[in-house]
């Protein structure tokens, strides 16, 4: 879907993005992480040419993005930012309709898309379409911002710290909603965040940036088990690493024979979620079931804790 080769951005003598190369797979979630000033937002904005590269190539579906006028490219790529960027003097419906109208969609098609997206984001069109952004909560504004980014049916959605302004509870729900919608629509997402918990929850692959370079790019489990540099290891966090190890491993890896009482867990559940379930239930073990719902064994809290301690 997206191929980036030797991408560089300089401002005078300062190199903000330095010869970055990576490939983003279709219908996946790629998260770019790094400290402030690492170049992650600049890299994201070069994909839709809000920032023009100094050198290097970006291809989408094999086509060089420089072969398209910038405005045309941006209308074909969804873009959601922190603070939502909604037009304050336009209604929710008008905000969502903005890009489809620019593309010349007829009124009926635009109206249908607004209705569809509001329903998808659990905002009743009859209640919300004619409201203004100031009448919405922060979480509702965030949902409208993402809905607007998806209104023209893009294959790609770029997101720059989209949940940064939300409180932790609303933020967690917004992340879950995003994954559900991504799976439903099959859109390819590239998201920038400084929050490693968010990155590990959302990402199929994580790109770690340091001083303008991508120092590691791979699945979350690879970063946790084999951090490429001391910077990556520090970014993951020494104290958090045991729990991150549990979050990238599944229950099926440590299921063992035996019986246990309580609400059963599925083998595909993360070990971190399994530990949370045990603590919540106040149990030292829980049964594990397969995809057919049949019991295949049990998982013990002691084993989970040993897994985290032994691999950290």
């Amino acid at each position: 879907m997206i191929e980036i080769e030797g991408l560089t951005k300089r401002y005078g003598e300062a190199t903000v993005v330095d010869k970055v190369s990576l490939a983003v797979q279709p219908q996946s979630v790629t998260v770019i992480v790094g400290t402030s000033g690492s170049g992650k937002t600049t890299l994201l904005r070069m994909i839709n040419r809000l920032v023009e590269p100094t050198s290097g190539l970006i291809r989408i579906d094999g086509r060089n993005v420089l072969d398209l006028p910038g405005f045309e490219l941006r209308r074909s790529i969804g873009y959601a930012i922190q603070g939502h960027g909604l037009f304050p003097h336009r209604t929710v419906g008008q905000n969502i309709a903005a890009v489809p109208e620019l593309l010349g969609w007829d009124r009926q098609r635009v109206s249908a898309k607004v209705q569809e997206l509001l329903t998808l984001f659990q905002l009743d069109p009859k209640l919300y379409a004619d409201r203004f952004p100031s009448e919405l909560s922060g979480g509702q504004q965030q949902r409208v911002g993402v809905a607007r980014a998806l209104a023209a049916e893009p294959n790609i959605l770029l997101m720059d710290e989209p949940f940064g302004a939300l409180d932790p509870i609303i933020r967690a729900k917004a992340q879950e909603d995003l994954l559900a919608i991504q799976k439903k629509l099959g859109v390819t997402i590239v998201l920038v965040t400084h929050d490693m918990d968010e990155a590990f929850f959302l990402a199929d692959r994580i790109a770690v940036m340091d001083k303008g370079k991508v120092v590691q790019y791979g699945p979350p489990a690879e970063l946790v088990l084999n951090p490429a540099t001391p910077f990556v290891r520090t970014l993951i966090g020494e104290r958090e690493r045991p729990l991150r190890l549990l979050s990238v491993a599944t229950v099926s890896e440590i299921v063992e024979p035996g019986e246990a009482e309580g609400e059963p867990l599925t083998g595909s559940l993360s070990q971190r979620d399994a530990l949370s379930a045990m603590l919540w239930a106040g149990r030292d073990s829980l049964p594990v079931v397969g995809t057919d719902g049949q019991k295949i064994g049990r998982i013990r809290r002691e084993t989970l804790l040993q897994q985290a301690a032994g691999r950290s």
Side-chain angles (χ1 to χ4, degrees):
M1 176 65 77
I2 306 172
E3 299 168 280
I4 296 172
E5 294 182 8
L7 200 63
T8 298
K9 180 63 183 179
R10 298 189 188 92
Y11 292 101
E13 297 298 315
T15 300
V16 181
V17 174
D18 191 3
K19 298 177 182 176
V20 166
S21 296
L22 55 86
V24 175
Q25 298 301 314
Q27 302 181 4
S28 67
V29 180
T30 294
V31 178
I32 306 170
V33 298
T35 55
S36 297
S38 61
K40 55 188 186 295
T41 291
T42 301
L43 175 60
L44 184 81
R45 291 180 178 177
M46 283 194 283
I47 295 173
N48 66 356
R49 290 178 58 198
L50 280 172
V51 173
E52 296 287 358
T54 303
S55 61
L57 287 174
I58 303 171
R59 286 189 291 266
I60 295 177
D61 288 336
R63 187 174 183 183
N64 189 336
V65 298
L66 295 177
D67 292 341
L68 288 171
F71 72 89
E72 186 177 327
L73 175 71
R74 283 186 284 278
R75 288 177 186 175
S76 69
I77 297 175
Y79 186 55
I81 61 174
Q82 181 176 337
H84 327 301
L86 299 177
F87 304 123
H89 303 302
R90 303 188 74 178
T91 66
V92 166
Q94 290 168 339
N95 266 279
I96 295 172
V99 175
E101 287 174 347
L102 284 172
L103 294 173
W105 289 19
D106 64 65
R107 185 175 298 178
Q108 186 175 357
R109 185 182 176 192
V110 171
S111 178
K113 179 55 65 173
V114 170
Q115 300 274 322
E116 175 193 339
L117 286 170
L118 284 174
T119 302
L120 181 63
F121 281 85
Q122 301 169 24
L123 296 168
D124 186 339
K126 294 178 181 178
L127 296 177
Y128 291 96
D130 294 327
R131 292 189 184 182
F132 289 92
S134 61
E135 300 177 87
L136 306 181
S137 68
Q140 290 168 340
Q141 289 182 31
Q142 182 273 334
R143 279 184 272 171
V144 174
V146 179
R148 185 179 65 177
L150 292 170
E153 301 176 353
N155 289 325
I156 296 170
L157 175 60
L158 307 180
M159 310 185 80
D160 191 1
E161 298 277 5
F163 310 123
L166 302 180
D167 68 58
I169 294 175
I170 295 175
R171 183 172 185 150
K173 179 64 167 60
Q175 292 166 359
E176 292 174 359
D177 289 345
L178 178 65
L179 286 182
I181 288 164
Q182 187 266 339
K183 287 180 172 60
K184 180 179 178 64
L185 300 180
V187 66
T188 301
I189 295 177
V190 183
L191 182 147
V192 162
T193 185
H194 66 277
D195 184 328
M196 290 302 296
D197 287 333
E198 183 166 273
F200 275 88
F201 181 73
L202 294 174
D204 294 304
R205 294 174 72 87
I206 298 175
V208 180
M209 293 195 71
D210 184 25
K211 299 175 183 175
K213 295 180 179 291
V214 171
V215 294
Q216 189 163 4
Y217 180 50
E222 180 182 306
L223 270 66
V224 176
L225 296 172
N226 300 296
T229 69
F231 174 78
V232 175
R233 192 177 184 96
T234 299
L235 199 64
I236 290 170
E238 286 301 319
R239 291 184 179 180
E240 295 85 358
R241 194 161 180 264
L243 282 179
R244 298 211 197 284
L245 286 163
L246 294 183
S247 72
V248 299
T250 63
V251 166
S252 61
E253 296 174 37
I254 55 170
V255 66
E256 58 188 61
E259 296 292 327
E261 297 295 324
E263 186 70 24
L265 308 174
T266 61
S268 60
L269 193 70
S270 77
Q271 293 179 13
R272 180 173 181 170
D273 288 343
L275 180 59
S276 296
M278 283 186 190
L279 294 173
W280 182 261
R283 294 187 178 277
D284 294 325
S285 64
L286 283 173
V288 180
V289 296
T291 54
D292 57 0
Q294 297 298 310
K295 287 186 180 180
I296 58 175
R298 66 175 181 171
I299 186 172
R300 295 185 300 128
R301 187 197 309 180
E302 181 182 355
T303 305
L304 286 167
L305 296 176
Q306 288 173 349
Q307 285 288 108
R311 297 166 71 184
S312 62

